[in-house]
DNA sequence: GCGAGGTA
DNA sequence: TACCTCGC
């Protein structure tokens, strides 16, 4: 082996363990013994991936040991901001030690020095001996050590690929001339995590500017006369702190530790020992991955050559050569192949591409014989409206998948798609996909309808664990212990240099696309029985799956926007903002950036001293949120101007200026996307753009709804459930006082106020009604006395009293809440009227805050979730009716308790009646569900 | 309370 | 990343 072949990898252990742990924070891996194995799994998986991908010749894992630290002598607060280490990470250490030992990987650490310094020292020493060194860490501090032979190896961020930073990459990324300047850069801007203070008033942008202008901390401090104003004062005042910061940011290269290369040879692991540990931790597929990482013959020979150790095991079977075997083995042969393999190394997978129409037809006839088939589409864009097919993959058996490349030529593409039409439109085969709505919409562009029974693994997992994450790669790692190829490995990072999948060769496309179908099929096999166990099949097949198609149609339809009005309003807002801004500058006696809460806080509280007891946020900044400012409005006239500025700025940036950019050129409409799996309560969310938060509260804001217009010859119909959540609380809890109020058609907030204050309905004042309304909402959103006090301006005791008398008014409500908490404690979950479950694992937590949070969810989730269930049912029924009655009316939006439609003028009456009827009867209740309908030329008029 | 998204 | 604000 020549010296240039020596590749040393130094792994920053704790950084990698933390990453692994937090990667799974939303649904942690818990073994049957109750051990949280997220950290161990995350670390070990990354390690194995690294070995598989890069085939290191030398490797070591570096830990921090002990407490003392050379940096503490300089600065007592160093790293004081680091949170206490979570328990699962502390528990992980011994397991990781055992695994590393079994893998024959050396563990380094030096008492009194940080892992950073050990890595730095070894890296420098190894470099001198001709090694190519890779520092495996996500921590940007290490960029300072990068040279021609020392590189940073940043592990993959979620879904992404690993990133290797050499000298050029570091220079480009941080806009510096020399990696060493990272030290000056960090010293200037500081680092909140490591509690490096940095220079006062210097953030990322200023630090970059300084580096370009002055090159180093010392040179900057020697030339502060070139700076101006506030910045000059601040930098000069904190010069000493800056120099100290630079020292703290420096990684040592001369820690007292030697680099003895023999100790770092990577050896073949003791597979048996590793397996024992993995078995205990219930890492199913990880062992296969490890085996595969070492199952390449050349690699093992290389490792064996490089040292004199005998491998502990030597049955290296080459991995199965997947993909492009000659056309055309019979399907039976291929299937045979996946069942007869026995050893793990052999039992890989068969991914086959099929580009000949004849073979494709055979595949289709084969697909039609199956009970369940998974499919996936590969496209040119994530935007379904412009996406063109690059290929499709199919799988109906673990380890076996087919890939169909599709021509760039639209006509040829359509021909290929037509071959598969019988499959997509078949009524019997269950069609499985991950995030099926996407594929559904793409296929709609090819005039294909996905019919028959469907199964979306993303939505299935959402029903099983609504609080978790549902990405395919994530689920694969979580449930299959298998990390699929990341798309970025194939086509590069996001950005202008990213290729499309079409630009990589067909075998590579096949490996990627077929794997997705394979993985999704395996997830289906896992989730389908789980849905039955969780009693979620009806909700899944009768609500969420049909709803998916309804949402797809809504998204494809889009909403028409009046872009002329928006353009005009943008100019008006701009003018109004300018006027307000100059008024504010005048009142404060200084010009500053109004959009920076930090600067605003300093002006109001440091300079103007508007509140000597000003509240701070958790990062030590002054809080300047609306409620805080509201309370100060009597102190100074500047406040009302600031509040108005904030409002107009929000309207302009978020709506008036942003919406026109989202208009689709082809049909002049905006097409939102409804996320069906993000809100844990069962609600939908709207993204790109979010059309569920269009203003309504203020007059000026409302005008924006006027820009959502009906097409010529049509009208907008808005239909919303009146007080659906409160009606459901009354219904579910059986609270008679509330039920009666609704049955009598009373104004529920006024009615609540009357009872709350013991007065007649006619005597209720505006303030009293508004307070009652706040309490009602507090109940809906699961808030406590604290939040209520915040919102009403009442004192904590008053708020508490208010809540107490609320419960006296509605006694069943309190009982109901207690029952829900009890249910969560007994069963581990609560559920909605349609059986949508929310698991509350923290309901018995010993941490008061965490437990209280779970308790609020126990009460709140069934209410919000049931309302979500009901409107989902209504949407499905309405869409069915519109279709069977062959009406032209289109559903445009769902805003939690409101539906928006666009109807031809001659259909308005029919549609209005139909919509109201279906919504009010979507689910049978004792408390009447009331729907208010409005019609107009735009959303403002209709609402 | 939960979402999305804008800005520094 | 933190903060703020829009909706329900």
């Amino acid at each position: 082996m020549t010296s240039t072949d020596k590749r040393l990898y130094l792994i920053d252990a704790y950084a990698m363990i933390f990453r692994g742990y937090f990667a799974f924070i939303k649904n942690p891996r818990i073994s049957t013994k109750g051990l949280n194995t997220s950290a161990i799994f995350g670390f070990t998986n990354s390690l194995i991936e690294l070995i598989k991908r890069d085939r290191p010749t030398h490797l070591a894992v570096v830990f921090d040991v002990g407490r003392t630290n050379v940096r503490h002598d300089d600065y007592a607060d160093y790293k004081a901001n680091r949170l206490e280490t979570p328990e699962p990470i502390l528990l992980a250490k011994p397991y990781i030690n055992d695994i590393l030992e079994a893998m024959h990987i050396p563990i380094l650490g030096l008492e009194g020095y940080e892992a950073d310094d050990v890595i730095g020292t070894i890296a420098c020493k190894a470099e001198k001996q001709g090694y190519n060194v890779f520092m495996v860490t996500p921590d940007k501090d290490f960029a300072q050590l990068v040279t021609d032979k020392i590189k940073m190896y940043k592990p993959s961020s979620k879904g992404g690929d690993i990133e290797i930073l050499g000298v050029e990459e570091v220079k480009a990324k941080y806009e510096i001339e020399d990696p060493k300047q990272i030290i000056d850069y960090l010293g200037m801007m500081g680092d909140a995590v490591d509690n490096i203070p940095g220079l006062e008033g210097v953030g990322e942008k200023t630090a970059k500017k300084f580096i370009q202008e002055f090159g180093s901390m010392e040179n900057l401090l020697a030339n502060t006369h070139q700076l101006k104003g506030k910045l000059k004062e601040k930098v000069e005042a904190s010069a000493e702190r800056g120099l100290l910061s630079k020292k703290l940011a420096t990684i040592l290269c001369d820690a007292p530790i030697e680099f003895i290369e023999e100790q770092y040879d990577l050896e073949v692991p003791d597979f048996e020992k590793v397996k024992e540990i993995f078995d205990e931790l219930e890492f199913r597929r990880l062992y296969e991955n490890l085996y595969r990482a070492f199952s390449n013959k050349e690699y093992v020979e290389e490792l064996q050559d490089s040292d004199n150790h005998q491998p502990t095991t030597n049955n290296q079977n080459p991995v199965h050569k997947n993909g492009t075997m000659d056309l055309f083995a019979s399907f039976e042969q291929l299937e045979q192949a996946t069942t007869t393999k026995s050893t793990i190394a052999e039992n890989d997978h068969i991914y086959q591409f099929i580009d000949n129409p004849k073979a494709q037809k055979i595949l289709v006839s084969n697909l039609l014989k199956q009970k369940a088939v998974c499919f996936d589409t590969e496209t040119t864009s994530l935007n379904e409206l412009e996406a063109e097919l690059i290929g499709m993959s199919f799988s109906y058996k673990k380890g076996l998948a087919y890939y169909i490349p599709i021509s760039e030529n639209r006509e040829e593409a359509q021909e290929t798609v037509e071959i598969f039409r019988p499959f997509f439109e078949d009524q019997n085969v269950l069609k499985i996909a991950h995030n099926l709505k996407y594929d559904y919409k793409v296929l709609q562009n090819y005039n294909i309808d996905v019919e028959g029974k469907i199964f979306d693994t993303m939505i299935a997992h959402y029903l099983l664990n609504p609080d978790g994450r549902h990405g395919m790669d994530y689920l694969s790692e979580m449930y299959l212990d298998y990390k699929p190829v990341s798309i970025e490995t194939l086509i590069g990072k996001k950005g202008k240099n990213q290729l499309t999948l079409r630009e990589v060769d067909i075998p590579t496309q096949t490996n990627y696309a077929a794997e997705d179908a394979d993985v999704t099929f395996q997830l289906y096999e896992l989730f389908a029985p789980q849905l039955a166990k969780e009693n979620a099949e009806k909700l899944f097949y009768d609500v969420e799956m049909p709803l998916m198609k309804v949402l797809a149609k809504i998204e494809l339809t889009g909403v028409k926007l009046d872009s002329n009005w928006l353009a005009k309003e943008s100019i008006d807002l701009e003018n109004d903002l300018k006027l307000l801004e100059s008024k504010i500058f005048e009142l404060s006696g200084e010009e500053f950036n109004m959009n920076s809460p930090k600067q605003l806080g300093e002006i109001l509280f440091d300079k103007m001293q508007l509140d000597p007891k000003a509240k701070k946020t958790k990062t030590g900044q002054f809080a300047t949120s609306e409620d805080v400012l509201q309370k100060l409005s009597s102190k100074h006239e500047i406040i009302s101007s600031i509040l108005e500025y904030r409002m107009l700025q929000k309207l302009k940036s978020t709506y008036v200026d942003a919406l026109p950019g989202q208009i689709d050129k082809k049909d002049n409409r905006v097409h939102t996307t409804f996320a069906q799996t993000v809100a844990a309560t069962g609600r939908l969310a709207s993204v790109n753009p979010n059309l569920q938060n269009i203003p309504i509260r203020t007059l000026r804001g409302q005008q924006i709804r006027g820009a959502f217009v009906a097409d010529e010859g049509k009208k907008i119909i808005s239909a919303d459930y009146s007080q659906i959540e409160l009606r459901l609380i009354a219904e579910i809890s059986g609270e008679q006082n509330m039920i009666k109020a609704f049955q009598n058609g009373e104004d529920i907030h006024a009615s609540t106020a009357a009872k709350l204050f013991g007065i007649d309905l006619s005597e209720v004042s505006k303030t009293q009604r508004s307070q009652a309304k706040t309490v009602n909402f507090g109940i809906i959103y699961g808030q406590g006395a604290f939040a209520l006090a915040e919102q009403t301006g009442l004192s904590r005791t008053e708020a508490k009293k208010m809540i107490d008398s609320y419960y006296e008014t509605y006694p069943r409500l309190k009982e109901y809440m207690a029952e829900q908490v009890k249910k969560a404690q007994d069963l581990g979950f609560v559920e909605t009227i349609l059986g949508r479950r929310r698991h509350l694992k923290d309901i018995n937590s010993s941490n008061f805050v965490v437990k209280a949070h779970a308790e609020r969810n126990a009460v709140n989730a069934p209410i919000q979730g049931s309302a979500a269930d009901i409107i989902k049912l209504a949407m499905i029924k309405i869409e069915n009716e519109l279709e069977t009655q062959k009406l032209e009316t289109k559903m445009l939006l769902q805003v939690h308790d409101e539906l928006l439609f666009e109807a031809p003028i001659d259909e308005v009456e029919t549609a209005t009646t139909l919509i109201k009827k279906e919504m009010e009867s979507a689910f049978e209740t004792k408390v009447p569900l009331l729907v208010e309908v409005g019609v107009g030329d735009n959303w403002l008029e209709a609402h």
Side-chain angles (χ1 to χ4, degrees):
Chain A
M1 181 161 59
T2 64
S3 63
T4 51
D5 290 334
K6 296 195 287 190
R7 299 182 303 277
L8 169 66
Y9 287 71
L10 297 168
I11 297 178
D12 184 358
Y14 274 116
M16 300 296 290
I17 293 172
F18 267 86
R19 272 178 74 85
Y21 173 69
F22 284 108
F24 293 101
I25 196 75
K26 269 205 143 181
N27 41 346
R29 297 180 61 109
I30 312 280
S31 74
T32 49
K33 286 179 212 119
L35 180 70
N36 181 333
T37 58
S38 297
I40 312 169
F41 179 81
F43 174 84
T44 314
N45 197 30
S46 307
L47 176 64
I48 293 171
E49 287 297 324
L50 169 86
I51 295 174
K52 202 159 89 180
R53 184 184 188 282
D54 272 49
R55 298 189 189 176
T57 58
H58 296 71
L59 192 153
V61 174
V62 187
F63 279 90
D64 288 314
V65 283
R67 280 155 192 269
T68 49
N69 188 303
V70 280
R71 285 184 179 78
H72 289 159
D73 303 338
D74 294 320
Y75 186 59
D77 283 342
Y78 178 70
K79 291 200 176 175
N81 277 0
R82 290 210 168 159
L83 295 170
E84 217 173 284
T85 311
E87 204 195 2
I89 289 184
L90 296 174
L91 294 173
K93 177 79 199 296
Y95 287 98
I96 289 175
N97 264 337
D98 290 349
I99 292 170
L100 291 173
E101 211 167 282
M103 288 177 71
H104 301 148
I105 292 173
I107 299 168
L108 303 183
L110 190 59
E111 191 80 33
Y113 289 82
E114 284 197 51
D116 299 22
D117 302 319
V118 175
I119 292 175
T121 306
I122 299 286
C124 294
K125 292 188 173 167
E127 180 189 26
K128 291 203 186 89
Q129 296 188 34
Y131 277 80
N132 278 309
V133 183
F134 295 88
M135 305 174 293
V136 184
T137 173
D139 191 347
K140 62 181 180 306
D141 297 16
F142 283 91
Q144 64 185 268
L145 297 170
V146 167
T147 66
D148 286 343
K149 307 220 64 162
I150 303 179
K151 294 188 169 65
M152 247 182 102
Y153 184 106
K154 282 180 82 173
S156 56
S157 50
K158 56 171 180 185
D161 195 12
I162 61 123
E163 201 180 344
I164 293 178
L165 301 181
V167 175
E168 290 311 314
E169 288 81 6
V170 169
K171 275 159 67 173
K173 187 162 181 162
Y174 299 99
E175 297 169 33
I176 50 181
E177 288 300 308
D178 182 334
K180 295 251 173 325
Q181 287 174 311
I182 285 285
I183 308 171
D184 298 274
Y185 173 72
L186 290 174
M188 288 178 194
M189 68 179 262
D191 184 337
V193 180
D194 283 351
N195 211 25
I196 295 176
L199 289 168
E200 205 187 324
V202 177
E204 188 185 324
K205 280 190 178 169
T206 320
K208 274 186 181 166
K209 207 182 77 194
F210 282 166
I211 293 287
Q212 269 160 28
E213 251 170 82
F214 300 101
S216 74
M217 176 79 77
E218 289 77 6
N219 197 36
L220 164 70
L221 296 178
N223 290 287
T224 50
H225 57 270
Q226 293 179 29
L227 305 176
K228 298 187 273 210
K230 268 261 154 70
L231 191 60
K232 177 170 185 261
E233 289 170 32
K234 285 182 181 173
V235 170
E236 284 174 348
S238 59
E240 207 169 308
R241 209 173 80 181
L243 289 170
L244 171 61
S245 295
K246 180 172 174 177
K247 198 171 164 192
L248 289 172
T250 307
I251 296 176
L252 302 181
C253 264
D254 54 0
I257 184 167
E258 288 311 310
F259 173 63
I260 302 162
E261 54 181 326
E262 297 80 40
Q263 291 176 354
Y264 296 74
D265 283 338
L266 183 63
E267 298 168 27
V268 177
D270 181 340
F271 284 106
E272 263 169 48
K273 259 200 191 147
V274 174
K275 182 143 194 335
E276 248 170 60
I277 304 168
F278 283 4
D279 282 348
E280 189 195 335
L281 294 167
E282 295 159 22
F283 293 166
R284 294 170 288 266
R285 293 272 301 259
L286 207 52
Y287 181 69
E288 289 177 43
N289 267 346
L290 173 71
Y291 200 99
R292 221 174 281 143
F294 285 93
S295 60
N296 183 293
K297 217 169 153 220
E298 294 158 36
Y299 182 38
V300 171
E301 276 166 7
E302 186 184 358
L303 293 182
Q304 287 166 357
D305 281 357
S306 68
D307 55 71
N308 296 317
H309 306 283
Q310 283 302 310
T312 43
T313 173
N314 60 357
N315 48 341
Q316 280 80 35
N317 293 304
V319 279
H320 189 277
K321 286 206 178 54
N322 61 45
T324 61
M325 58 178 63
D326 281 339
L327 270 183
F328 191 71
S330 75
F331 284 96
E332 286 75 18
Q333 272 176 295
L334 288 177
E335 284 184 45
Q336 198 72 37
T338 55
T339 43
T340 52
K341 306 288 172 178
S342 51
T343 69
I344 356 160
E346 282 178 330
N347 188 13
D348 212 2
H349 51 244
I350 293 180
Y351 294 159
Q352 171 83 48
F353 75 78
I354 303 179
D355 53 5
N356 131 351
K358 226 167 151 186
Q360 290 170 353
K361 282 178 190 149
I362 299 174
L363 174 63
V364 170
S365 68
N366 212 32
L367 294 178
L368 287 169
K369 286 184 211 147
Q370 309 302 323
K371 256 172 58 193
V373 174
C374 173
F375 77 98
D376 185 31
T377 60
E378 303 305 330
T379 63
T380 51
S381 160
L382 281 176
N383 176 344
E384 305 94 332
L385 294 166
E386 55 188 53
E388 291 191 11
L389 282 167
I390 295 173
M392 299 186 288
S393 51
F394 300 89
S395 170
Y396 47 84
K397 186 174 183 206
K398 178 183 176 194
L400 174 67
Y402 301 98
Y403 178 64
I404 315 301
I406 290 176
S407 165
E408 212 162 335
N409 175 305
R410 181 69 195 215
E411 258 174 58
E412 286 173 21
Q414 190 68 42
E415 278 170 31
T416 308
V417 173
E418 288 303 330
I419 296 177
F420 288 85
R421 182 183 291 278
F423 163 72
F424 289 118
E425 297 186 349
D426 178 82
Q427 297 296 324
N428 300 312
V429 183
L430 176 71
K431 283 144 212 101
I432 305 155
H434 195 80
N435 191 11
L436 182 47
K437 176 146 64 66
Y438 177 81
D439 306 273
Y440 181 87
K441 286 167 76 178
V442 171
L443 288 168
Q444 286 274 309
N445 293 341
Y446 291 78
N447 207 8
I448 295 266
D449 237 317
V450 181
E451 293 177 36
K453 243 181 149 190
I454 49 179
F455 191 107
D456 185 333
T457 44
M458 186 168 88
I459 295 174
H461 188 259
Y462 170 66
L463 293 188
L464 294 173
N465 184 2
D467 288 284
R469 289 167 55 191
H470 319 291
M472 195 200 70
D473 289 4
Y474 178 79
L475 295 178
S476 176
E477 271 194 76
M478 183 80 188
Y479 293 97
L480 308 173
D481 286 3
Y482 178 77
K483 187 173 178 167
V485 179
S486 111
I487 185 76
E488 287 184 358
T489 316
L490 305 184
I491 64 175
K493 287 241 166 212
K494 272 213 175 70
K496 56 180 187 295
N497 292 328
Q498 193 180 40
L499 310 170
T500 70
L501 194 62
R502 216 197 290 280
E503 290 164 90
V504 302
D505 62 25
I506 301 269
T508 312
Q509 286 180 31
T510 304
N511 271 347
Y512 171 75
E515 183 180 71
D516 279 1
D518 180 13
V519 163
T520 305
F521 185 77
Q522 294 181 48
L523 291 173
Y524 155 74
E525 290 187 310
L526 219 57
F527 295 160
Q530 283 285 326
L531 284 176
K533 230 193 250 169
E534 290 275 337
N535 209 10
E537 282 183 312
K538 267 195 79 133
L539 183 61
F540 181 75
Y541 289 111
D542 298 346
V543 181
E544 298 294 352
M545 287 296 98
L547 179 72
M548 188 277 294
K549 288 195 187 182
V550 177
L551 295 177
K553 282 185 189 142
I554 295 177
E555 294 171 15
L556 288 169
T557 304
V559 196
K560 190 173 173 186
L561 271 191
D562 183 347
S563 46
N564 288 331
W565 183 86
L566 289 170
K568 199 176 87 11
E569 179 68 0
S570 175
I571 296 169
D572 289 352
L573 284 169
E574 179 71 47
N575 289 334
D576 295 353
L577 281 166
K578 281 222 178 87
L579 287 175
L580 277 169
E581 193 182 50
S582 49
K583 187 174 171 195
I584 292 164
F585 290 165
E586 206 174 298
L587 288 170
S588 67
E590 188 176 333
E591 296 201 359
F592 60 98
N593 186 347
M594 267 298 296
N595 294 323
S596 162
K598 191 171 173 233
Q599 292 185 34
L600 177 65
E602 283 161 8
I603 296 282
L604 292 181
F605 302 114
D606 273 343
K607 179 171 175 183
M608 300 175 70
Q609 294 288 330
L610 287 184
D611 183 358
K613 286 182 297 190
K615 265 206 305 187
K616 296 266 181 84
T617 65
K618 62 181 171 208
T619 49
Q621 281 188 46
F622 289 111
T624 65
S625 58
E626 188 176 345
D627 54 316
V628 172
L629 295 186
Q630 206 67 257
K631 285 175 196 150
L632 291 177
S633 55
S634 58
K635 289 259 173 75
H636 200 288
E637 56 172 323
I638 197 174
I639 300 293
S640 66
S641 296
I642 291 170
L643 286 170
E644 194 181 348
Y645 180 94
R646 280 258 180 90
M647 177 184 80
L648 298 186
Q649 173 65 28
K650 172 82 179 178
L651 293 180
K652 184 168 187 293
S653 64
T654 310
Y655 306 104
V656 176
D657 286 351
L659 285 173
Q662 302 270 5
I663 297 176
D664 189 290
K665 296 255 157 34
K666 288 196 286 290
D667 60 5
N668 273 318
R669 296 167 81 92
V670 273
H671 302 264
T672 184
T673 302
F674 283 100
Q676 209 175 340
T677 60
V678 295
T681 52
R683 277 185 174 182
L684 299 174
S686 157
V687 290
N688 290 319
N690 180 353
L691 298 185
Q692 290 182 321
N693 72 343
I694 305 300
I696 193 163
R697 250 180 37 222
T698 62
L699 256 176
R700 186 89 186 242
Q702 272 180 24
Q703 303 310 308
I704 293 169
R705 294 197 167 211
F708 288 74
V709 294
D711 217 341
E712 288 100 76
K714 296 184 180 174
K715 291 278 183 186
I716 296 287
I717 302 175
S718 155
D720 66 298
Y721 282 108
S722 154
Q723 311 295 352
I724 187 168
E725 270 122 345
L726 283 175
R727 285 168 196 267
L728 286 175
I729 293 179
E731 170 82 17
I732 297 172
S733 67
E735 171 47 57
Q736 289 304 317
N737 285 331
M738 205 180 247
I739 293 178
K740 269 184 229 144
F742 279 122
Q743 283 171 342
N744 295 336
E746 289 171 18
D747 169 345
I748 190 63
H749 300 312
S751 169
T752 303
K755 296 184 182 103
L756 218 49
F757 300 107
I759 50 177
D760 209 68
L761 200 54
S762 58
E763 295 168 44
V764 173
S765 74
K766 237 182 151 178
T767 325
Q768 286 170 323
R769 182 182 182 279
S770 140
Q771 288 191 344
K773 188 175 170 182
T774 312
V775 188
N776 276 331
F777 272 92
I779 299 293
I780 293 174
Y781 297 139
Q783 297 170 334
F786 183 75
L788 181 72
E790 278 292 304
Q791 282 190 12
T792 50
L794 295 173
S795 72
R796 284 279 286 284
T797 9
E798 286 171 318
K800 181 80 178 31
K801 249 177 80 185
M802 177 95 91
I803 290 175
D804 287 345
S805 65
Y806 186 87
Y807 290 140
E808 275 169 42
T809 309
Y810 298 129
R812 262 299 297 156
L813 236 53
K814 193 174 186 186
E815 289 168 32
Y816 164 75
M817 293 167 94
E819 285 162 22
Q820 287 301 305
V821 173
K822 179 79 172 39
K823 179 173 177 178
Q825 284 167 344
D826 292 348
L827 302 175
F829 64 83
V830 290
E831 56 193 342
T832 67
I833 49 173
L834 295 190
R836 180 190 304 279
R837 288 185 185 172
R838 180 125 188 233
H839 298 272
L840 298 163
K841 61 180 167 51
D842 295 331
I843 198 77
N844 291 316
S845 169
S846 54
N847 180 327
F848 177 78
V849 180
V850 171
K851 183 166 187 278
H853 185 241
E855 285 175 357
R856 283 199 295 276
N857 277 333
V859 174
N860 174 246
I863 305 300
Q864 258 194 47
S866 296
D869 288 351
I870 287 177
I871 198 164
K872 283 177 172 179
L873 285 176
M875 291 168 77
I876 296 164
K877 289 186 173 175
I878 292 169
E879 188 61 43
N880 276 341
E881 274 305 306
L882 291 175
E883 216 165 290
T884 46
Q885 296 189 27
K886 301 218 160 40
L887 294 175
E888 281 296 301
T889 300
K890 298 268 191 280
M891 205 183 294
L892 301 183
L893 289 178
Q894 188 253 45
V895 193
H896 307 306
D897 63 357
E898 174 185 9
L899 294 176
L900 206 68
F901 299 84
E902 187 177 41
I905 289 174
D906 60 347
E907 270 184 25
V908 167
E909 251 186 72
T910 326
T912 309
T913 319
L914 182 160
I915 292 162
K916 187 168 159 73
K917 178 178 145 255
E918 294 297 345
M919 285 175 78
E920 290 185 345
S921 66
F923 190 84
E924 204 179 318
T925 48
K926 290 196 289 293
V927 180
L929 296 181
L930 185 71
V931 170
E932 288 165 356
V933 189
V935 179
D937 288 322
N938 57 58
W939 195 359
L940 179 61
E941 283 178 20
H943 193 85

